[in-house]
C-alpha cells in the first residue's frame, strides 16, 4: 500500500516564503505531484517530480528525494490568493497501471 | 480546451435511492480515476481504469458501489442503495496518455447529498 503524510495546517504571512513537506512510502514509485485546491473547487496541478532535485516554476518550486521518500513544495512571495489546500500525490506503477494516491492535504492560510 | 466533464454537478437524493454519476475523460487519456472527498478523509481513491479495464477498486464499498467504463468517452460511478454516509464530493480525473508523463486533470466534481 501507500502512506503519504503532510501537515494538516500551516499559516504564513503575505510576501513570505513557506515550505510544505510531504513524506511517503510506496512501492513502484513513478512520480510525485503537487496540486492546489481552493475551497469548493477541483484540485489543479502545480508541479511534478520524478527524479531527485528541484523543479522551479515561477513562485512555486518542488523538491524530491526518492531515497528519503520526501518532497516539499516551496511557495515564494506569498499572496492572499495562495490560501488553499495543497495536496501531495504519489503515482505508483502497480497492476499494469499508474495508481495516483493523495495525502490528506495541507490547509495554508496566508495572513496580512 | 480539453477538460474532464462530470454530471450532475449537484445531486440531492433520499436514502435508499440509486445514484449514477457520469464522467467524460479527456480524449487520449488512458487512465481514469474516481475519488471521493470529505472533510474527514480527504481525497480517497475509489477505483481506477486503464484503457477502460478496471485495475483497482479496493477503495470502494463493493456491496453498494460499482464503477464502469462502457466506452472510452464515458465512466460511471453508481451507488445502490445510497446512504447518508455517502454524502461527499465525487471527483473524476483522467491522465497519463501513452505518449507522455503528464498530470491527471480533474473534473469539477459531483456534490452528493443523501438525506
Amino acid at each position: 500500500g501507500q502512506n503519504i503524510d503532510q501537515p494538516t495546517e500551516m499559516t504564513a504571512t503575505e510576501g513570505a516564503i513557506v515550505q510544505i513537506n510531504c513524506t511517503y512510502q510506496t512501492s513502484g514509485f513513478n512520480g510525485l505531484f503537487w496540486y492546489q485546491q481552493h475551497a469548493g473547487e477541483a484540485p489543479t496541478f502545480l508541479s511534478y517530480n520524478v527524479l531527485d532535485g528541484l523543479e522551479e516554476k515561477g513562485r512555486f518550486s518542488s523538491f524530491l528525494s526518492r531515497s528519503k521518500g520526501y518532497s516539499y513544495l516551496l511557495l515564494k512571495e506569498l499572496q492572499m490568493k495562495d490560501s488553499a489546500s495543497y495536496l501531495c500525490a504519489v503515482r505508483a506503477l502497480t497492476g499494469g497501471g499508474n495508481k495516483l494516491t493523495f495525502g490528506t492535504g495541507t490547509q495554508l492560510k496566508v495572513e496580512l | 480546451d480539453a477538460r474532464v466533464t462530470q454530471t450532475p454537478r449537484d445531486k440531492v437524493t433520499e436514502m435508499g435511492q440509486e445514484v449514477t454519476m457520469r464522467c467524460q475523460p479527456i480524449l487520449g487519456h488512458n487512465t481514469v480515476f474516481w475519488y471521493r472527498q470529505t472533510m474527514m478523509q480527504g481525497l480517497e481513491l475509489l477505483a481506477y481504469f486503464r484503457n477502460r479495464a478496471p485495475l483497482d477498486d479496493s477503495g470502494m464499498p463493493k456491496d453498494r458501489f460499482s464503477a464502469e467504463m462502457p466506452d472510452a468517452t464515458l465512466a460511471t460511478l453508481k451507488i445502490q442503495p445510497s446512504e447518508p454516509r455517502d454524502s461527499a464530493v465525487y471527483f473524476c480525473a483522467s491522465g497519463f496518455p501513452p505518449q507522455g508523463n503528464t498530470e491527471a486533470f480533474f473534473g469539477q466534481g459531483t456534490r452528493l447529498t443523501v438525506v
Side-chain angles (χ1 to χ4, degrees), chain A residues 18-94:
Chain A
V18 71
Q19 178 174 312
I20 302 174
N21 297 323
C22 172
T23 58
Y24 64 90
Q25 292 176 304
T26 189
S27 54
F29 178 81
N30 191 29
L32 187 140
F33 296 81
W34 285 95
Y35 280 77
Q36 180 190 60
Q37 186 178 26
H38 285 100
E41 298 182 7
T44 55
F45 169 75
L46 285 179
S47 70
Y48 167 67
N49 296 70
V50 67
L51 300 176
D52 291 351
L54 189 68
E55 294 285 338
E56 296 186 84
K57 190 189 289 188
R59 293 190 300 115
F60 296 80
S61 303
S62 57
F63 171 84
L64 175 67
S65 169
R66 289 171 296 171
S67 62
K68 295 181 179 175
Y70 168 69
S71 173
Y72 67 73
L73 179 69
L74 195 70
L75 292 78
K76 304 174 187 175
E77 302 169 15
L78 280 173
Q79 302 174 9
M80 298 298 289
K81 67 177 182 179
D82 296 329
S83 293
S85 181
Y86 291 86
L87 304 165
C88 173
V90 172
R91 182 169 66 184
L93 272 170
T94 175

Side-chain angles (χ1 to χ4, degrees), chain A residues 30 33 35 37 40-45 48 50 87 91-92 94-104, chain B residues 9 31 33 35 37 41-43 45 48 50 55-56 58 91 96 101-109 111:
Chain A
N30 191 29
F33 296 81
Y35 280 77
Q37 186 178 26
E41 298 182 7
T44 55
F45 169 75
Y48 167 67
V50 67
L87 304 165
R91 182 169 66 184
T94 175
N98 279 292
K99 186 174 183 178
L100 187 65
T101 306
F102 284 78
T104 52
Chain B
R9 289 292 306 274
T31 305
F33 303 89
Y35 294 92
Q37 188 171 41
Q41 299 295 329
L43 206 56
L45 179 64
Y48 80 106
R50 182 174 183 270
L55 289 190
D56 187 343
S58 58
F91 285 106
F96 314 153
N101 279 327
T102 63
E103 68 272 25
F105 294 81
F106 280 77
Q108 289 304 299
R111 181 176 298 277

Side-chain angles (χ1 to χ4, degrees), chain B residues 24-91:
Chain B
Q24 181 176 355
I26 294 173
L27 193 64
H29 286 184
N30 66 4
T31 305
V32 176
F33 303 89
W34 280 107
Y35 294 92
R36 174 173 63 184
Q37 188 171 41
T38 61
M39 289 293 292
M40 296 300 295
Q41 299 295 329
L43 206 56
E44 299 175 273
L45 179 64
L46 296 175
Y48 80 106
F49 296 79
R50 182 174 183 270
N51 294 329
R52 296 176 53 203
L55 289 190
D56 187 343
D57 61 1
S58 58
M60 214 161 60
K62 300 290 191 306
D63 56 337
R64 299 184 300 108
F65 284 59
S66 62
E68 297 179 344
M69 275 202 77
D71 62 61
T73 64
L74 177 65
T76 62
L77 180 67
K78 291 186 181 180
I79 308 175
Q80 168 63 22
S82 57
E83 297 180 2
R85 60 179 167 156
D86 300 329
S87 297
V89 180
Y90 291 81
F91 285 106

